[in-house]
Amino acid sequence: MKLAVVGGGSTYTPELIDGFARLRDTLPIEELVLVDPAADRLELVGGLARRIFAKQGHPGTITTTADLESGVAGADAVLLQLRIGGQAARNQDETWPLECGCVGQETTGAGGLAKALRTVPVVLDIAERVRRVAPQAWIIDFTNPVGIVTRALLQAGHKAVGLCNVAIGFQRKFAKLLDVSPEQVHLDHVGLNHLTWERGVRLGGPQGEDMLPKLLAEHGDTIAADLHLPREIVDRLGVVPSYYLRYYYAHDEVVRELRTTPSRASQVAAMEKQLLEMYGDPALDEKPELLAKRGGAFYSEAAVALASSLLRNTGDVQVVNTYNNGTLPFLADDAVIEVPAVVDGNGTKPLPVAPLDPLYAGLIANVTAYEDLALEAALRGGRDRVFKALLSHPLIGQYEYAEALTDSLVAHNREHLAWA
């Protein structure tokens, strides 16, 4: 089995390598190729990756290359983990929206749109090149904004599934609070990428006993603190929202915080510099503890599980980003949603979803409409399309803000936008 990781020079990669090494019975990789144009980073990450495999006795080979076609040729699966423009572009995404009093964040609001505009054309180009040299390969997208990028891939006819680590993070957290194994915890996880709610936490299977009321009663303070939301709000909702919902439920509070603290991008950039120095140490043969602060917790376990289900035709249930196809009746079939689905060699089939409260369905429909317009802007370009996408977003919604944000977005991303 051959896997390729495009964006393999990312500081995330050792987390992925560690998962491949520990879970080699689940996903028996014979060849792993790390593909990245950043030669210096790739060499450091690739060296550590080989040492991790060697320490854990993994028999697979790890190679590195800047050449996409040779790296992905004949691959069974290709994982995409890209950041077009690097942390510098992310830092801009997190700062210029604040000038209008709007959240600055890399996947939500105006910053998220900027990232989509930079990313979608590049990902589609990569996917076309993958299709030419590895037509059988599944594309697993971890590149944000996952929902929009996955929809672009699916609409272009690619064998693609989107992946996020939010659901597996909740699964692991709830399992620990309940003192059970993660495999026993099944989530009623529903929504869009970075716009999801946990409506149930069931033991033993999708029809098992719902432990969410017990979790909220006994661990509500801990859960609310992790979300940076008041306990009262979580109790009133009776569900556990993704921490990204704080950008909606406490928007102005978040803006005040972001205006007075260093951007997350600046923090991550400093962390990445330290991580790369550590990766260059020939004595290091395991992922360092600092990597846990980088983000992407449990990404490797989620990626291994998804790739295994696709390539080994297991029919396991995974939380994925995939076509709606009637699952949420108030959305178009070609909307991309994030829900539990049966995954096998043919792809994904979402499990049935119980009707949603209007409180959640309304926001999902609104953000889906924004994603429609965002994808149109990413594919066809044009200032007017950018303006309409921003105007439609529930965190913006006023024409004066949308006009100013459009100007800022284009000014800060001109080098990445062919039409600008």
Side-chain angles (χ1 to χ4, degrees):
M1 185 181 296
K2 176 180 177 179
L3 266 68
V5 181
V6 180
S10 168
T11 54
Y12 269 136
T13 299
E15 161 75 22
L16 190 61
I17 300 300
D18 178 72
F20 287 156
R22 288 185 293 102
L23 303 171
R24 55 185 174 271
D25 292 338
T26 302
L27 190 67
I29 299 171
E30 297 166 300
E31 182 181 1
L32 178 64
V33 184
L34 306 181
V35 183
D36 202 300
D40 292 346
R41 292 171 64 106
L42 187 59
E43 184 59 32
L44 293 172
V45 173
L48 175 57
R50 294 185 191 98
R51 294 192 297 273
I52 291 173
F53 262 31
K55 180 179 182 180
Q56 299 197 31
H58 195 295
T61 62
I62 296 178
T63 58
T64 60
T65 182
D67 184 77
L68 179 72
E69 278 79 2
S70 65
V72 304
D76 298 288
V78 177
L79 278 69
L80 304 182
Q81 51 174 37
L82 312 176
R83 184 178 294 281
I84 308 304
Q87 295 298 331
R90 176 182 181 176
N91 187 66
Q92 292 181 349
D93 295 344
E94 293 176 343
T95 51
W96 54 261
L98 296 174
E99 298 169 6
C100 292
C102 297
V103 158
Q105 210 275 333
E106 65 162 341
T107 63
T108 299
L113 177 60
K115 193 172 196 303
L117 297 181
R118 293 193 303 268
T119 304
V120 166
V122 175
V123 166
L124 289 178
D125 176 66
I126 290 170
E128 287 298 331
R129 294 157 71 187
V130 170
R131 179 149 53 188
R132 287 197 295 268
V133 298
Q136 75 288 343
W138 282 100
I139 295 177
I140 297 174
D141 178 61
F142 193 66
T143 297
N144 281 320
V146 167
I148 295 173
V149 172
T150 301
R151 187 169 180 183
L153 288 165
L154 290 172
Q155 286 188 174
H158 297 290
K159 295 173 58 179
V161 183
L163 178 66
C164 181
N165 67 324
V166 167
I168 195 171
F170 275 127
Q171 181 200 43
R172 297 299 197 266
K173 183 180 299 182
F174 294 151
K176 185 175 181 180
L177 292 174
L178 293 169
D179 195 24
V180 299
S181 68
E183 293 72 26
Q184 291 179 266
V185 175
H186 294 256
L187 301 176
D188 179 2
H189 176 104
V190 64
L192 311 176
N193 180 242
H194 291 184
L195 194 85
T196 53
W197 297 263
E198 310 304 330
R199 297 189 301 172
V201 180
R202 299 186 179 277
L203 287 186
Q207 306 304 318
E209 180 183 1
D210 185 8
M211 304 302 291
L212 183 56
K214 173 183 172 70
L215 283 166
L216 291 176
E218 298 181 4
H219 304 285
D221 288 341
T222 298
I223 292 170
D226 287 345
L227 300 172
H228 298 283
L229 289 172
R231 165 76 184 268
E232 177 192 2
I233 295 300
V234 177
D235 284 342
R236 289 173 68 184
L237 292 174
V239 302
V240 178
S242 158
Y243 44 84
Y244 288 93
L245 265 299
R246 185 169 185 256
Y247 297 118
Y248 296 82
Y249 294 161
H251 176 273
D252 292 354
E253 179 183 347
V254 172
V255 169
R256 288 192 294 271
E257 291 173 2
L258 293 175
R259 282 174 162 168
T260 58
T261 57
S263 70
R264 175 62 177 165
S266 65
Q267 298 172 24
V268 170
M271 203 178 304
E272 285 194 334
K273 181 179 179 181
Q274 187 177 352
L275 284 168
L276 289 170
E277 291 174 355
M278 297 172 73
Y279 294 172
D281 181 357
L284 183 66
D285 57 7
E286 60 186 12
K287 65 175 184 179
E289 291 185 10
L290 178 62
L291 186 55
K293 298 180 181 180
R294 170 66 180 82
F298 308 115
Y299 161 40
S300 61
E301 284 90 340
V304 168
L306 178 54
S308 177
S309 295
L310 291 168
L311 300 178
R312 305 182 79 185
N313 195 34
T314 60
D316 296 334
V317 174
Q318 316 284 343
V319 173
V320 297
N321 284 260
T322 190
Y323 270 153
N324 178 47
N325 282 337
T327 306
L328 301 182
F330 55 89
L331 298 182
D333 285 348
D334 66 350
V336 166
I337 60 174
E338 186 173 291
V339 293
V342 175
V343 184
D344 58 23
N346 295 316
T348 61
K349 184 178 180 181
L351 297 178
V353 171
L356 271 74
D357 187 293
L359 180 63
Y360 314 124
L363 187 53
I364 289 171
N366 191 338
V367 175
T368 298
Y370 151 75
E371 291 189 348
D372 292 346
L373 295 168
L375 183 54
E376 183 76 1
L379 293 174
R380 301 179 62 191
R383 187 187 184 283
D384 196 49
R385 293 188 180 93
V386 174
F387 169 78
K388 289 178 179 178
L390 290 168
L391 185 64
S392 73
H393 200 292
L395 296 184
I396 300 167
Q398 298 184 52
Y399 71 85
E400 289 186 3
Y401 291 169
E403 288 280 13
L405 290 168
T406 299
D407 290 339
S408 293
L409 186 154
V410 173
H412 285 93
N413 290 275
R414 198 176 300 277
E415 66 180 294
H416 299 289
L417 306 176
W419 52 268

